[in-house]
Amino acid sequence: MRTRRISTATAFAVLFSSVVLVGGTASTAAADSSVSLPIKTSGDIVVDGVHKRVFISDPISGKVVATDYNGKVVRQIGSLPGVTGLEVSPDSKTVYAALPGAGAIAAIDTATLAETKRYQLGKGVEPKYPAVAGGRLWFGFDYGFDSPSSGGERGQIGSVDIASPEETVTLGSGTEDGWYSAPRLATDPGAPNVLAAAQEGLSFTELAVYDVSEGTRKRVAHGPTDTGPNGESQYQSYLNDFDITPDGKNVLVGSGSGSPYSAQSYSTADLSRTGRLATNNGGKAVAVAPDGTIALGAGQSPNVRIYKPGGKGASRTYTFPPYTGDTTTPYDLRTAGLAWAPDRSRVFALATNVYNDVFALRTLTDASKAAVTVSVKAPSKATRAKKLTVTGKLTTNTPLPTGTKATVLRTDLESPKGKSLAKVTPKKDGTFSFTDTPPAGGKVTYKVSYAGSATHSAASRSAAVAVSRTATSLKLNRNKALYAYNKNVSFTAALGKTYKNRVVELWADPFGADKPKKLVKKAKVNSKGNLSVTVNMKRDTTVTAVFAGDARYAPKTVKSTAYAKVNASVKLSKHYKTAKIGKTSYAYYSKKKNPFFTTSMTYHKGRAQRLTLELNYQGKWYDSGQEYFGLGSDGKSVVELLGPHETGYKMRVRTSYINGSSGDSVNSTTHSAWKYFIFTK
């Protein structure tokens, strides 16, 4: 509490002015998952199907990262200088990692994820691409001390006899093949004696096929030739990736350019072209599954296409998120960044953001199955208990199995967990339709699901219908009523006819940001449909009645705002007597004595009381000014009225809380009773 001073002269001159303080109050692209990788670049990616591990090499960091099938990093195997190419042994017990920075090939145990052996290859040998075929570990390598600029051919193919105790290393002579640099190698367990090699980094494609059945390399094909049987060019430039089919009869090549954009297939017998898979931007990555299904990566959307053996066109596609300027989101397929899980359940793809060296492992599910999409169309609105029709279509680019059916699940207020309806059988073109009579109103959802098969992926889609409900009668009393401070007031909600639900919620929301809206009662109404709650009115308060609705009657919300005054009074002091003038009691002051006005008011942070003076002249009261004074934390405010004081004039004073002008808006405007006083000689 503190004392403020004003003057009678100022009051008579009406120089007080009010200070107003305002207070505020489904598509053809399949879904995939993405997990970030702790690598700075990538060299190769392979998959161990026995232990369900994915291995990615990082040449810059000199490590191999092992993840599970969900992309979670299981272990990082370090101290592998320049590690580039990887190869999983046919028995899935070992991953071979080429280490050009160490002149060696490391063997990593797939069970323990630890390096168990390192094959030293000799001085100046820089291996890059390992492959197992014919019982030997083959590798493409560079002679680090030789240089193409000197006229020599530095690329070679060597081998390690891993089947013998001596583990003999055999290096190429340097003249037998004439590789410009370390060739990439490809093998497949389905054709264990076929070794394919490809030259990277040149403006034309160079391939070779070897028979390694006798432990040595015997070249059976080299090419491709300049033109195909119809005179068309067979060359591709700047090889990105290549792979061999499980039967050993074809080599697939993805390159950086070519017109038309495509990946080429060549016969391993003579390297004549046997086919072409069109892409939108060359072939960045190629991977062949054990059954011959092909995963082909491209530089633009769709990023990955899947081709079934003998199929016409891609059986499904995957599109990564597009680049939007965010340098932390991997959106581009990495060169040679595809690998199949041996069980064909998924394809793993390395994605990168070239602007920030950010890498992620994307897991592309159901890769070996033809993609199926479901479309469902239902009326946007419908009338409860009246028949409606739902239509849709199952779409795929390969025929669905004979007898295919789709399930239908209806979800509504009566069946929140869903109710199964009769299955639908699509027509030959995949279209279907069914009728239903919704028993419940509100949001009704029809979900059509295809469970999938050995050849087709599962898919589902939903459509929602807004089904009509009868309007609900709900009333709430006390709206706009005004009450004294701290009054207990009963609010009653009256609910009319409903179907099953008879529960009403009553919420109280006192004015002011410091008092949150609160549920004060939730219960069934009584036999008359009423539910009441008592609210202590210390502030203006909005009471809300909420009926959530049921299967036949619509939700309803009504509000009632009641208002609460403050406690406000003013007390006079320093007068020498109290006496009546007429029927009104006056405090008498000597003109030499200053009156003190003590205001008591309900406290609120930042609140101010408005003190008003009035003067009686010729029997009529006139406003002599008003001013706001802040309240102390005890709700008190003391004002001293300074002299000089004129005698013989009747005066009166009162305090007021003015909503919106007294510093807040949580109560209703309240005026205290007038206190009367007069000055004498």
Side-chain angles (χ1 to χ4, degrees):
M1 182 176 71
R2 57 181 177 170
T3 302
R4 302 289 295 275
R5 293 174 174 82
I6 57 176
S7 69
T8 304
T10 304
F12 276 101
V14 197
L15 295 178
F16 295 147
S17 63
S18 298
V19 180
V20 179
L21 303 176
V22 180
T25 60
S27 69
T28 57
D32 63 88
S33 62
S34 177
V35 178
S36 61
L37 292 171
I39 60 177
K40 296 179 179 180
T41 188
S42 65
D44 202 0
I45 176 173
V46 295
V47 182
D48 162 26
V50 173
H51 302 94
K52 295 188 175 357
R53 296 282 187 262
V54 182
F55 295 85
I56 303 106
S57 63
D58 179 355
I60 291 179
S61 302
K63 66 181 179 181
V64 169
V65 175
T67 77
D68 62 16
Y69 271 16
N70 296 317
K72 180 182 177 181
V73 175
V74 179
R75 182 166 296 180
Q76 300 183 52
I77 304 104
S79 300
L80 304 173
V83 59
T84 305
L86 303 174
E87 171 82 342
V88 179
S89 63
D91 60 8
S92 284
K93 292 182 178 180
T94 306
V95 169
Y96 296 103
L99 313 180
I105 295 177
I108 298 171
D109 189 293
T110 54
T112 64
L113 300 179
E115 181 181 347
T116 58
K117 185 178 294 186
R118 185 168 292 195
Y119 301 98
Q120 295 297 332
L121 305 178
K123 183 179 180 180
V125 177
E126 298 177 358
K128 289 187 177 179
Y129 305 110
V132 176
R136 300 179 73 89
L137 173 61
W138 301 90
F139 54 92
F141 69 95
D142 288 322
Y143 267 124
F145 54 82
D146 200 359
S147 171
S149 62
S150 65
E153 302 293 349
R154 64 184 295 193
Q156 305 292 329
I157 298 175
S159 68
V160 179
D161 186 3
I162 54 177
S164 70
E166 294 80 10
E167 297 175 341
T168 305
V169 176
T170 302
L171 301 178
S173 66
T175 59
E176 55 199 14
D177 293 314
W179 296 104
Y180 176 80
S181 61
R184 299 180 70 97
L185 303 182
T187 61
D188 192 282
N193 295 318
V194 178
L195 174 68
Q199 181 68 70
E200 59 184 357
L202 296 182
S203 59
F204 59 90
T205 303
E206 183 179 2
L207 304 173
V209 180
Y210 302 93
D211 178 357
V212 294
S213 59
E214 296 180 2
T216 59
R217 286 185 297 121
K218 178 182 179 181
R219 194 170 76 178
V220 296
H222 181 259
T225 58
D226 291 353
T227 58
N230 298 319
E232 74 278 12
S233 172
Q234 297 195 119
Y235 279 138
Q236 288 177 287
S237 57
Y238 300 106
L239 177 138
N240 285 323
D241 198 10
F242 88 126
D243 202 356
I244 189 170
T245 56
D247 58 9
K249 294 182 178 181
N250 288 279
V251 174
L252 297 170
V253 178
S255 64
S257 63
S259 181
Y261 289 130
S262 61
Q264 311 279 13
S265 173
Y266 300 96
S267 168
T268 56
D270 57 7
L271 289 178
S272 61
R273 192 170 65 194
T274 56
R276 173 186 291 163
L277 299 176
T279 69
N280 56 355
N281 189 15
K284 295 196 73 173
V286 178
V288 184
D291 69 341
T293 302
I294 300 168
L296 177 61
Q300 296 177 359
S301 174
N303 299 86
V304 180
R305 292 174 167 87
I306 305 297
Y307 296 88
K308 300 290 289 184
K312 295 181 179 180
S315 61
R316 70 185 306 144
T317 62
Y318 298 86
T319 296
F320 301 164
Y323 178 60
T324 59
D326 177 12
T327 60
T328 63
T329 301
Y331 65 92
D332 191 22
L333 179 66
R334 184 73 169 167
T335 298
L338 291 177
W340 282 91
D343 63 1
R344 299 177 292 111
S345 62
R346 64 206 76 195
V347 168
F348 298 98
L350 283 173
T352 182
N353 185 313
V354 296
Y355 296 99
N356 203 26
D357 291 334
V358 177
F359 290 82
L361 180 65
R362 306 195 79 94
T363 303
L364 316 180
T365 57
D366 282 339
S368 65
K369 297 182 179 181
V372 178
T373 58
V374 180
S375 62
V376 183
K377 185 177 181 180
S380 59
K381 296 181 180 180
T383 302
R384 191 191 68 80
K386 289 192 176 182
K387 186 180 293 186
L388 58 81
T389 300
V390 178
T391 61
K393 186 176 183 179
L394 270 65
T395 303
T396 180
N397 58 3
T398 60
L400 290 167
T402 302
T404 291
K405 292 183 181 293
T407 61
V408 180
L409 189 71
R410 182 187 67 213
T411 304
D412 54 30
L413 292 173
E414 289 279 80
S415 305
K417 294 184 179 180
K419 178 179 176 59
S420 295
L421 304 183
K423 292 182 179 180
V424 295
T425 302
K427 298 178 181 178
K428 288 185 178 181
D429 62 358
T431 59
F432 62 83
S433 67
F434 62 89
T435 60
D436 184 51
T437 302
K443 181 180 179 181
V444 178
T445 300
Y446 294 94
K447 181 178 182 180
V448 179
S449 301
Y450 169 61
S453 68
T455 57
H456 290 76
S457 64
S460 64
R461 185 61 63 88
S462 299
V465 184
V467 179
S468 64
R469 286 184 280 180
T470 303
T472 301
S473 173
L474 181 64
K475 298 178 181 179
L476 186 61
N477 64 353
R478 309 298 187 191
N479 190 39
K480 297 183 180 180
L482 179 63
Y483 298 98
Y485 178 79
N486 208 28
K487 175 75 172 178
N488 287 326
V489 178
S490 177
F491 290 80
T492 299
L495 178 65
K497 183 180 178 181
T498 61
Y499 175 50
K500 290 183 178 179
N501 185 14
R502 300 297 291 167
V503 174
V504 170
E505 296 177 1
L506 290 172
W507 295 76
D509 187 8
F511 281 32
D514 60 324
K515 295 288 185 180
K517 185 177 180 180
K518 183 179 179 181
L519 177 64
V520 291
K521 196 169 188 178
K522 179 179 180 180
K524 288 185 178 180
V525 297
N526 62 21
S527 59
K528 295 182 179 180
N530 296 334
L531 182 67
S532 299
V533 67
T534 298
V535 176
N536 183 249
M537 297 295 294
K538 290 183 178 179
R539 296 188 184 186
D540 296 345
T541 301
T542 297
V543 176
T544 304
V546 179
F547 171 66
D550 57 27
R552 299 185 183 180
Y553 283 80
K556 185 69 176 287
T557 298
V558 294
K559 294 183 178 181
S560 176
T561 300
Y563 302 96
K565 294 182 178 182
V566 299
N567 282 333
S569 64
V570 63
K571 181 180 179 182
L572 308 184
S573 60
K574 303 297 183 180
H575 50 288
Y576 66 87
K577 75 170 185 176
T578 301
K580 287 187 176 182
I581 301 176
K583 295 182 179 181
T584 302
S585 180
Y586 279 78
Y588 281 74
Y589 288 92
S590 167
K591 69 177 183 178
K592 295 180 181 180
K593 198 74 170 178
N594 291 333
F596 280 75
F597 308 136
T598 301
T599 293
S600 296
M601 184 176 289
T602 304
Y603 175 76
H604 186 78
K605 185 178 181 180
R607 179 170 288 178
Q609 59 105 353
R610 189 181 76 180
L611 198 66
T612 302
L613 291 175
E614 288 190 357
L615 172 71
N616 191 289
Y617 178 71
Q618 294 182 350
K620 187 175 181 179
W621 291 101
Y622 291 92
D623 184 8
S624 295
Q626 48 195 247
E627 188 171 343
Y628 286 85
F629 299 96
L631 296 175
S633 59
D634 59 355
K636 301 289 186 181
S637 172
V638 179
V639 178
E640 180 183 8
L641 184 62
L642 302 176
H645 304 298
E646 297 291 334
T647 61
Y649 290 95
K650 292 185 287 186
M651 300 185 69
R652 65 181 183 180
V653 63
R654 74 175 179 184
T655 184
S656 301
Y657 164 80
I658 307 300
N659 180 280
S661 298
S662 285
D664 62 78
S665 300
V666 303
N667 286 95
S668 294
T669 295
T670 307
H671 304 287
S672 73
W674 289 104
K675 293 294 184 179
Y676 296 83
F677 62 98
I678 189 169
F679 290 101
T680 61
K681 291 182 179 179

